[in-house]
Amino acid sequence: MRPLTEEETKVVFEKLANYIGRNIAYLVDNKEDPHIFRLQKDRVYYISDKIAKFATSVSRVNLMSVGICMGKFTKTGKFKLHVTSLSILSKYAKYKIWIKQNGEMPFLYGNHVLKAHIGRMSDDIPEHAGVIVYSMSDVPLGFGVSAKSTGEARNLQPTAITAFRQSDIGEYLREEDTLFT
Amino acid sequence: MGSRRHKNKQGAPPSYEEFEAKKNKKDQKRKRSESVSEPVKPNKKKPSFDNDKKSKKSNVQGKKQRKQDDESEDEDAIRKRQLEEEKSLPQVDLEELSSAKKSLFDDSEEEEEEQNDEFDLEGEEGEEGDEFYDSDEETRERPMFSDDEEDMEALSAANMEALSAKLDEEAALEEQEAEEELLQTNIVQPRAQILPTEEEEAQQSSGPKDVNILRTRMIEIVKVLEDFKNSAEEGKSRVEYTNRLIQDICDYFGYTPFLAEKLFNLFSPSEAMEFFEANEIARPITIRTNTLKTRRRDLAQTLVNRGVNLQPIGPWTKVGLQIFDSQVPIGATPEYLAGHYILQAASSFLPCMALAPQENERVLDMASAPGGKTTYLSALMKNTGCIFANDSNKARTKSLIANIHRLGCTNTIVCNYDAREFPKVIGGFDRILLDAPCSGTGVIAKDESVKTSRTEKDFIQIPHLQKQLLLSAIDSVDAHSPTGGYIVYSTCSVMVEENEAVVDYALRKRPNVKLVDTGLEIGKDGFTSFRGKHFNSKLNLTKRYYPHTYNVDGFYVAKFKKIASSPHDVSKAGAYEKESLARSEAEEEGIIHGDFASFNDDEDKDLIEKSKARNLKKKGINPTAKGKAGKK
């Protein structure tokens, strides 16, 4: 387990900025309970400083996970956010989409968000911006990228895609074998 | 079926008091009608009425008798004896046993009722049977009232005293007779032959087993064992009955004889039957609310809206819900995926509640996959402090990590060590939960393979590992922790070898720990002695759970408090060193136990003679006198 290099930090933060924008500042500047990013194998974990110190006593081969896993670096050096980061993304989300009850299950089965399923969405979403998807009762369901800006989306057909799904909590079941090791 | 059972319930045999009271009433009535000279119309009418009823009854019985004819004779005898027992034994056992498998036993219950009726007929010299009690209660009561009035008219002040004295006297006499009669009927009943003869056994072993016969016989044997003195067949020993029962259990439920005997020895015969029965029924599906994300009431509301039928598990937990049925898969609802709840057996709440971790403590879960208990601990600590979730199986850490992330536990470190590596990896924990790997004899309902796969070797090897794990856990705790210093040991096994014996071992090896109360509301106390083995007297502070008592999985929970540190706490021994140490120790003990205790009968002859004489004296026989008599 080691801190991220400058290069890695840049890649990770660029990715995060898509979804939470300037709110990244809250992630790194938490005076009461400072949190840090750590790299273990190819995965990036976001953990409280105290816990990170305890985790140093566990050897690298035996450490399976610590705190919250944000995502992993691909072999080509890109950073891929995992659904496990949803709790953090949803807390600081910039653009939000709420989907109706009848759209919940299709989304959780890995489909994109259709216009017909949208109950509400933030007013100022630009095209191709990272969005967090919620149910109508404010339960975060996943995240993705907007296909159209809010204004354009108003004029879409009901069957048209409004947001492309990137990750959803259905992956806890579908991807259990690959997601966590 | 319901109505039929209801009818059967009505005809329960009268208790002794009732029986007597009824009898007295009748006698008095008869006497009065004799003593009073006036003709009493209602009474005269009544006998014919009675006769009518009787003839009807005998008809009915005739039919039923024919129905029974195909059954063997000794079953008749069995029933008679049952009847006798019903008089002396509390009814509850029978009821429970029979209600467990209604379909099979309903008929015989009915038969029993009939038997009761016959008995009543005999006993009361041709009074109407129980079955008709309700229907003609009114007609019976009314004449009596009219009788009384007529009596009053006939009485004069002069003969009143004499009459009443006479009545009293006769009543007393009748009562006495009734008592004698009752005693006699108790004695006369023959004892039934339940155990099959050798021929029958040979016949049965060749062909396929008849489960109905097996079942009936098991219930009979249990009843005999409950009251062995009075109901056992002449010349049969308790061992014969027990062996037969264990073999029947193996045939009926599919256990290996070894495991069946082991489990059977844990309970009284009737409780053992309940245990085996309960292992055939699946426990209810339960879920635990993740208090990090939601509240139980909100969760229950959303799930009810999805068409789930649920209810709180019980007053002992504030986070558990029991699922009765559901229109949606309970493990794939959006709430489940969002981490609002986790599917978790009710029994696995218990060790977490016993450990009761406080906020900002450092806790270790030594065998944590798949994470039900770990996430509960995290929720109890409100995501503060630090939890080390360890599991020795790398493949199983996958589901552990998934659950930890899904339920949003941010204070966990997941590691993959042999748990015996602690405290070498890191020690000084405030609390440790050791839910040890076990034989799984408490969760047979969940995993049937335990019935056949466990052998004697398992019950040596598994406790061997458990002992090392528990010692490692004890050594990894900080005795001077201001808030903690506790260790909770739990297994999903009901075996004494894996529970009390392991805890007792730890108490012997580590004098710096003591058992404390688990703080759990439910559960039975642990054994302080078992089949000749005596454990630490404090073992009654531990808790046992059985499937048939609380409808949770079989479970065991013990809670230790570490009161002082020991040199072991800083030992750098890893799993390998501990294993070799434990093995050599076991071998050493084995040598002592193997060779130490053999008897030399020749040398002990004097002592044997002496103790024999002493035993005779205890029985009130003079050994010397007997000896002389023998010589003559």
Side-chain angles (χ1 to χ4, degrees), chain B residues 26 165 223 258 305 330 365 413 449 451 472 528 557 584 625:
Chain B
K26 300 249 160 80
K223 251 182 266 158
F258 166 73
N305 289 343
I330 208 73
D365 186 351
I413 298 167
S449 67
K451 283 180 184 178
S472 300
T528 49
V557 179
S584 63

Side-chain angles (χ1 to χ4, degrees), chain A residues 59 62 64-65 67-69 104, chain B residues 306 405 410 412 414-417:
Chain A
S59 76
N62 298 107
M64 308 306 289
S65 161
I68 293 179
C69 175
E104 274 180 20
Chain B
R306 291 203 187 274
H405 279 94
T410 56
T412 49
V414 181
C415 46
N416 168 228
Y417 279 110

Side-chain angles (χ1 to χ4, degrees), chain B residues 9 63 69 158 187 195 200 246 306 345 393 474 479 487 493 536 557 605:
Chain B
K9 279 264 157 41
K63 265 185 226 160
D69 271 352
I187 293 161
L195 298 177
E200 282 172 341
I246 288 171
R306 291 203 187 274
N393 185 338
I474 290 170
I487 303 109
S493 168
N536 192 308
V557 179
K605 212 172 184 179

Side-chain angles (χ1 to χ4, degrees), chain B residues 249-261 263 276 279-280 439-441 443-459 495:
Chain B
I249 286 169
C250 294
D251 292 340
Y252 190 80
F253 295 109
Y255 289 84
T256 56
F258 166 73
L259 190 65
E261 191 179 352
L263 289 169
F276 287 118
N279 277 343
E280 299 303 301
S439 62
T441 47
V443 288
I444 293 174
K446 223 186 269 175
D447 180 13
E448 293 251 323
S449 67
V450 173
K451 283 180 184 178
T452 47
S453 63
R454 294 296 171 199
T455 59
E456 194 158 10
K457 210 175 160 194
D458 287 320
F459 293 104
M495 290 300 179

Side-chain angles (χ1 to χ4, degrees), chain B residues 11 33 39 101 222 259 282 401 410:
Chain B
S33 64
K101 282 273 164 82
V222 165
L259 190 65
I401 297 170
T410 56

